[in-house]
Amino acid sequence: MNPLEFAALVLGGIVAGGINSVVGSGSLVTFPILLAFGYPPVLANVTNNVGVLPASLVATFAGRAEFRGEWRRLGVFLCFSAAGGVTGALLLLQLPSEAFDMIVPALIVLALLLVVFGPQIKRWTARLHGQAEHHDHPVATMAVAGLTAVYGGYFGAAQGVLLLALLSITMAGPLIRANAYKNAMAATANLVAALVFVAVTEVAWLAALAIAVGAFIGGALGGRYGRYLPQTAYRVVIVVIGVAALVYFMVR
């Protein structure tokens, strides 16, 4: 890797970290950059997963106050996330690369739709949480944790957006509580998937380091200043880069 590529991945990590701190789906920035530099899709996905992991763990730690008195419940949900993350990682490694090339465009389209319609989803779930009859649904939350973790272990981009949308339906309380659970579940799925990847397959470690450094910086900046920037700007960046990645898969 030359210095220009390293710098580009750090910059991409900064953008991804900032986006993740506000709207999620930052992996749709770093994944296409890896593709543009010639990394094979599966290697790019594995490297991206490892690179963004530290920022996910930091976000989980930052939201730990929301778990006060609920650690046992959280532990149960995270078991499902871990099982799903391992399943997704094994699917990525066992299925032929041609399957990844066919499946990922559909996942990118799903991710882009979630990003575009994120505000409407948030408004709908906010109204839902305002209803007195809305309660926690632990069994549904277990299913959400496991199934979205399979998605996250296999690909991961926009996992957080999908997970938050579903948790907002299955969990009572303010969205900040659902967001804290989202961070913990996504971090768990990504962690176990990363452990599988490190154990049995190749990781482009220098690229992963560049993304990790940038994601830390972007997450810190986004947490401090992101609230002052219009979320529409973040969404436009995600959509433009996501469409570029989609075109890459369709024409290569």
Side-chain angles (χ1 to χ4, degrees):
M1 179 186 299
N2 61 51
L4 181 60
E5 291 177 348
F6 188 89
L9 286 171
V10 171
L11 180 60
I14 292 174
V15 176
I19 289 173
N20 278 339
S21 69
V22 180
V23 296
S25 305
S27 290
L28 281 177
V29 175
T30 46
F31 179 66
I33 294 175
L34 290 168
L35 295 180
F37 287 150
Y39 290 87
V42 174
L43 176 60
N45 185 53
V46 168
T47 300
N48 193 53
N49 178 289
V50 175
V52 300
L53 175 61
S56 298
L57 296 175
V58 169
T60 300
F61 181 79
R64 65 191 183 282
E66 296 298 323
F67 308 133
R68 189 174 293 114
E70 301 184 16
W71 291 103
R72 180 175 298 181
R73 173 195 295 263
L74 175 65
V76 172
F77 294 156
L78 295 188
C79 287
F80 282 85
S81 294
V86 170
T87 301
L90 293 177
L91 286 173
L92 177 67
L93 298 176
Q94 294 299 318
L95 294 176
S97 58
E98 292 80 7
F100 184 83
D101 291 345
M102 294 175 60
I103 294 171
V104 165
L107 296 179
I108 291 177
V109 171
L110 172 62
L112 293 176
L113 289 174
L114 288 170
V115 169
V116 170
F117 293 104
Q120 290 89 335
I121 294 174
K122 285 185 177 180
R123 286 195 293 268
W124 179 67
T125 53
R127 289 197 299 269
L128 182 65
H129 279 250
Q131 297 176 3
E133 67 270 17
H134 185 60
H135 304 288
D136 276 328
H137 300 284
V139 175
T141 302
M142 292 176 195
V144 166
L147 293 175
T148 57
V150 174
Y151 173 98
Y154 187 84
F155 182 51
Q159 175 192 4
V161 177
L162 175 62
L163 185 51
L164 180 59
L166 294 174
L167 289 178
S168 297
I169 298 171
T170 65
M171 298 183 69
L175 286 177
I176 190 173
R177 175 176 179 247
N179 189 62
Y181 272 85
K182 178 264 293 183
N183 288 334
M185 292 177 185
T188 299
N190 292 342
L191 174 61
V192 297
L195 292 175
V196 172
F197 296 147
V198 170
V200 303
T201 192
E202 180 184 2
V203 178
W205 285 107
L206 192 56
L209 174 62
I211 293 171
V213 169
F216 266 119
I217 297 172
L221 293 175
R224 179 177 291 270
Y225 302 111
R227 71 187 66 179
Y228 303 113
L229 298 175
Q231 293 194 15
T232 301
Y234 288 99
R235 296 181 190 280
V236 168
V237 171
I238 295 172
V239 170
V240 169
I241 296 177
V243 169
L246 186 61
V247 171
Y248 169 86
F249 271 96
M250 301 299 292
V251 302
R252 75 187 187 88

